[in-house]
Amino acid sequence: MKPNRVVIAILLLAAVAIGVLLLPVRQWFMDFESYVKSLGALGPLVVVSIYVLCTVLFIPGSAVTIGAGTLFGLKTGFLVVLVGANLGALCSFLLARSFLREKVAIWAAASPKFRSLDQAIGKQGFKMVFLSRLSPAFPFVLLNYLLGLTAVRTGAYVLANLIGMLPGTFLFVYIGAAARDAIAGQVDATADIYRQILKYVGLLATIAVVVLVTRIARKVLREAEQGLEGSAVTGMPRLDSSHEPTRFEKMVLVDDPYDQQLIENCRAPGRLNPMPSGKYNLVVIGGGTAGLVSAAGAAGLGAKVALIERNLLGGDCLNVGCVPSKGIIRAARAAHDARNGAEFGVRFVTEPQLNFATAMERMRRLRAGISEHDSVDRFTKLGVDVFIGDGRFVNASAIEVDGKRLEFDRAVIATGARAAEPPTPGLREVGFYTNETIFTLTELPRRLAVIGAGPIGCELAQTFQRFGSEVTLMTDGAQILPKEDGDAAAIVHKQMEKDGVRILTETKIQRAETKNGGTLLFAGINDRRLEVACDAILVSVGRAPNLENLGLDAAGIRYSARGVEVDERLRTANPHVYAAGDVCSRFKFTHAADAMARIVIANALFLARRKVTDLVIPWCTYTDPEIAHVGCYEKDATAAGFDVGTITESLDHVDRALLDGECNGFGRVHYDKKSAKILGGTIVARHAGEMIGELALAITAKQNLGVLSSTIHSYPTQAEVLRKTGDAYMRTKLTPIVKKIFMKWLAWRR
């Protein structure tokens, strides 16, 4: 409970206590009770009517429920509230069903996702209503109307509503009845002491039962909601017990001096794992970004921490992700700029040549230097017990690694994700690369086929094309980068084709086979069949969470095909175990894992209540030009109920972009028309990732669009595109009426 709410609650209790002590409350109650009794059968009907009116007008009925128990006692009060609450809920439900349901149904029909969700709620209506009543996650007065907008059948709603409210109603009426006895002065010295004890024991037992039922219902409701959203599967997904993770020997060149330095830093061969001594405050499984931040942060605050990693500390980001990919992207960009320097007066007598082996060596050298930050030695000096090996839960509070048992108070699962493998016949036999192995190349493939047109696929397809490969990029979708706005993806598509990448959309790969020393991919585009010849294949069709061989069942941890299931505070089904990073999040980015780890530290060690849903997470695809995004896309904001306004400013209008020859892009901001609050935005520019932070800060600070106009930007910079969106918004406020008023005002001042 927040501090201000605690203060308000204390003040209210104090006011009630003072009122009871100083005011003739007992006499007032007796007079009012006599009046209600004088009404006869009309008294309960009046209370029922009041309850119905309160429910329809969004007024919580808790006070009326307690009041009914105080006026009529437990038996009559319970019946009065049961009738009033159900009639009020039905009226609210029917009002929403009659006036708004048709519009909602039309809106849902236009979206396959919401149409299927609406149908699922209709099929499981009784269960959803019943669990919602048992678990008051939403105010009932609001829930009545919301359920009326869904496909829940009226009969199922009425029955589930009636049964589901019984425990809570009984509790509140019981409290009112107990208050009735106290106010009326029925508790005196002559009363049977055992009857009084029994009465209040019954009250405590009722509270305990309601709390227990509520907790169980919340858990079941959460699972049901996840099932409707498709985020969980029935039961547990069957994990591949024979799955073998990619070992570090395949991720790096073990004979390369720079990679040897990387291995020495991030694995420390020959070093013995420490002996566990006592219980740990925190045990972390996984030495990627989420795991490293969790371990370092907790140790820095004085916690006793153990960190387990099976391969190389640094995880994907350092070893096979952000660091190596951006290293070679920069080299490929340099080659591209050299070839296209004529516009700027830069000419070469001969065609500039790129040495692929040198570019890859530069990447390995820089990666080895960066690896010191994630080294075993550094974390050991921070006070962390670092274990190299496979960690596995053996029960709800212990993990085993290298034959050693680590007892913990709290644990964090940060095992990340890996490249998913498509079920294409023959693909495993011919061999392929993923992001985990592609950076071991020292010779440039003459022909490279890239399967999957997400961020990794597009980044590396463009990079290898600029290195000199003949790249074919294939996707079964209608566009590359399907999560991005169509016009943003189209700009990148056009540039990649200009670079020479062959892009095949709506392409179904049927099989792969080896032929004449090369590889053939057989694919189909609609009814057309084609063959793609290549010397190497890069698979980039998404990410799969690393769940295998962790002993999650032994620890009572739930998981789905999408990863470890967590609540908004990143707790798993085992309240002593948390998860962070790619293994549990749809935001599979290094910076997201970092932010989630900080939440875990606060919640796991210090009983904080920070929520992952409060995070504002930007992301960027590092093609040329880059696409950076933060917040909502327009369709998502509209689906959330906002009246969305969108302003797009082309880089054609930005002086620095024109001078740089980089005007093929735009800045776009989505905002709520009612409040001008910024909801999200996209930037397409060569350095969009460096520019998106301004929008992320504005959304985090809950600023409106006008702040972009009033923020002074250095001139000339490409970031001015955001100021221009703010200026465009301010011009929308200058309506003809306002302009006419200004003209009269200025004319009067002349």
Side-chain angles (χ1 to χ4, degrees), residues 396-453:
S397 60
I399 295 172
E400 188 175 84
V401 57
D402 190 27
K404 300 176 176 66
R405 187 184 181 95
L406 281 59
E407 302 285 343
F408 63 80
D409 178 57
R410 295 290 186 271
V412 181
I413 302 170
T415 51
R418 62 182 182 272
E421 180 181 338
T424 303
L427 187 61
R428 181 171 291 185
E429 288 72 19
V430 302
F432 60 89
Y433 292 97
T434 68
N435 71 290
E436 293 180 330
T437 54
I438 192 73
F439 300 111
T440 61
L441 287 174
T442 56
E443 294 184 8
L444 183 69
R446 184 172 67 86
R447 300 168 299 178
L448 176 68
V450 180
I451 302 174

Side-chain angles (χ1 to χ4, degrees), residues 548-567:
E548 289 82 3
N549 305 314
L550 291 177
L552 298 178
D553 294 331
I557 296 167
R558 291 192 60 82
Y559 51 90
S560 73
R562 292 174 60 176
V564 174
E565 293 182 7
V566 294
D567 63 14

Side-chain angles (χ1 to χ4, degrees), residues 462-478:
Q462 186 179 47
T463 295
F464 276 85
Q465 182 70 41
R466 287 181 169 185
F467 277 146
S469 289
E470 297 176 10
V471 178
T472 301
L473 176 66
M474 293 173 282
T475 175
D476 58 2

Side-chain angles (χ1 to χ4, degrees), residues 214-289:
T214 298
R215 292 188 64 178
I216 294 173
R218 282 180 176 172
K219 181 179 179 181
V220 178
L221 179 61
R222 178 170 168 262
E223 293 172 359
E225 288 172 343
Q226 289 176 331
L228 290 178
E229 294 168 2
S231 62
V233 295
T234 303
M236 297 288 193
R238 181 175 296 176
L239 300 181
D240 182 5
S241 59
S242 63
H243 168 72
E244 288 292 335
T246 304
R247 304 302 296 181
F248 75 94
E249 293 92 347
K250 294 184 178 181
M251 298 179 178
V252 298
L253 302 175
V254 293
D255 296 328
D256 177 78
Y258 298 119
D259 279 356
Q260 287 177 351
Q261 180 186 348
L262 174 76
I263 295 169
E264 183 63 35
N265 283 336
C266 297
R267 189 173 177 86
R271 167 187 170 274
L272 295 177
N273 283 331
M275 290 298 297
S277 57
K279 192 175 186 178
Y280 288 94
N281 294 109
L282 190 71
V283 174
V284 182
I285 304 182
T289 300

Side-chain angles (χ1 to χ4, degrees), residues 507-545:
T507 302
K508 307 291 185 182
I509 301 175
Q510 297 160 346
R511 71 181 192 279
E513 65 180 47
T514 301
K515 188 174 183 180
N516 299 328
T519 300
L520 279 179
L521 290 174
F522 295 87
I525 303 177
N526 296 323
D527 295 329
R528 183 165 60 94
R529 299 289 178 264
L530 73 155
E531 298 177 4
V532 176
C534 57
D535 302 298
I537 300 172
L538 171 64
V539 170
S540 178
V541 293
R543 309 285 290 166

Side-chain angles (χ1 to χ4, degrees), residues 3-85:
N4 58 337
R5 294 182 180 177
V6 174
V7 172
I8 293 173
I10 292 174
L11 291 175
L12 287 173
L13 289 173
V16 171
I18 292 172
V20 171
L21 292 174
L22 301 181
L23 297 174
V25 175
R26 181 175 300 174
Q27 186 60 46
W28 291 349
F29 170 73
M30 293 177 67
D31 292 342
F32 185 65
E33 184 184 32
S34 299
Y35 172 72
V36 171
K37 287 182 177 179
S38 69
L39 295 176
L42 187 60
L45 291 177
V46 170
V47 175
V48 167
S49 302
I50 292 173
Y51 211 120
V52 171
L53 187 62
C54 288
T55 305
V56 172
L57 296 179
F58 294 96
I59 301 173
S62 302
V64 182
T65 304
I66 295 174
T70 305
L71 282 174
F72 303 113
L74 181 59
K75 183 178 179 181
T76 305
F78 180 71
L79 293 175
V80 166
V81 172
L82 204 60
V83 173

Side-chain angles (χ1 to χ4, degrees), residues 611-647:
K611 299 179 181 179
V612 70
T613 49
D614 293 334
L615 296 177
V616 176
I617 301 177
W619 59 86
C620 182
T621 299
Y622 296 93
T623 49
D624 186 12
E626 297 173 352
I627 301 179
H629 180 82
V630 66
C632 297
Y633 291 96
E634 183 175 12
K635 61 181 183 297
D636 299 325
T638 301
F642 291 102
D643 184 8
V644 182
T646 299
I647 295 177

Side-chain angles (χ1 to χ4, degrees), residues 328-338 466 622-626 686-687:
I328 67 171
I329 285 172
R330 180 63 184 88
R333 184 172 289 185
H336 172 78
D337 288 343
R466 287 181 169 185
Y622 296 93
T623 49
D624 186 12
E626 297 173 352
R686 194 169 208 192
H687 298 288

